[in-house]
Amino acid sequence: MTTPDHLDDLDAVTALADRVRRAAYRAVADAAPDPAGRDEVAEALGVGRTLAAFHLDKLVDAGLLEVSYARRSGRSGPGAGRPAKLYRLSAAEHAVSVPPRAYRSAAELLAEALERSGAEETLYRVAEEHGRKAGPEPDVTTLLTGNGYQPATREDGRIELRNCPYHRVAEQFPPLICGMNLAMLNGLLEGAGLADEWCARMDPAPGRCCVTVSKNKTN
């Protein structure tokens, strides 16, 4: 059955079919957790500001981006200029399945069953084993990106993950799913041959994954 929600999701995904618009979405995602302005996106795409603004606003209409306004100079009062229009990723998620499926509901049921049965440790072992199967990869950023994360290296050398691949289920079952995510990441690092250099640890903060990846202290 096709519902209005399914049609909205289809519209949102279709909005990314345009190559330039898709690149604009990626530029905003790369700026996270900070918002991105029209000038920054235009520069990243190598297009004019007007064209960048056109595609950014189309992404807003599709529900993929959210808008805010701020004076980036930090000044206020007369002479401070107009606030800039800024864009960040929408918190909404969009998925299209034809015919409709309910994998999220299945994940939620399984998570609840695991919590009730006290089988968390089994889940963590399975996640770590699954991570190890990804195999060798000498570059940690490539490893993380290839497994659905959006890594961003901070000044202190930590790698933050700007997204959580399990966000919706993690919101409902945070200890269970965040623990699974931590085990998965440590398994990935071990399987890649990077566990002597890097480790994953719980480091929760708003707006990003609760796990960060850091250099081992001996390095």
Side-chain angles (χ1 to χ4, degrees), residues 169-207:
V169 188
E171 281 187 320
Q172 292 183 263
F173 307 93
L176 180 76
I177 302 303
C178 294
M180 180 196 77
N181 191 26
L182 176 64
M184 171 75 81
L185 281 160
N186 276 319
L188 285 170
L189 292 169
E190 187 176 338
L194 295 169
D196 289 340
E197 185 179 2
W198 296 92
C199 68
R201 65 185 181 91
M202 296 300 295
D203 182 17

Side-chain angles (χ1 to χ4, degrees), residues 10 21 25 45-46 54 57 64 74 90-91 99 104 110 118 135 143 145 150 154 161 172 192 194 200 203 206 210 217:
L10 182 60
R21 198 168 301 159
Y25 180 85
L45 270 58
F54 170 78
D57 288 337
L64 295 170
S90 168
R104 182 181 300 165
L110 290 168
L143 173 72
T145 303
Q150 295 175 353
R154 298 308 177 195
L161 306 171
Q172 292 183 263
L194 295 169
D203 182 17
C210 61
K217 291 183 178 178

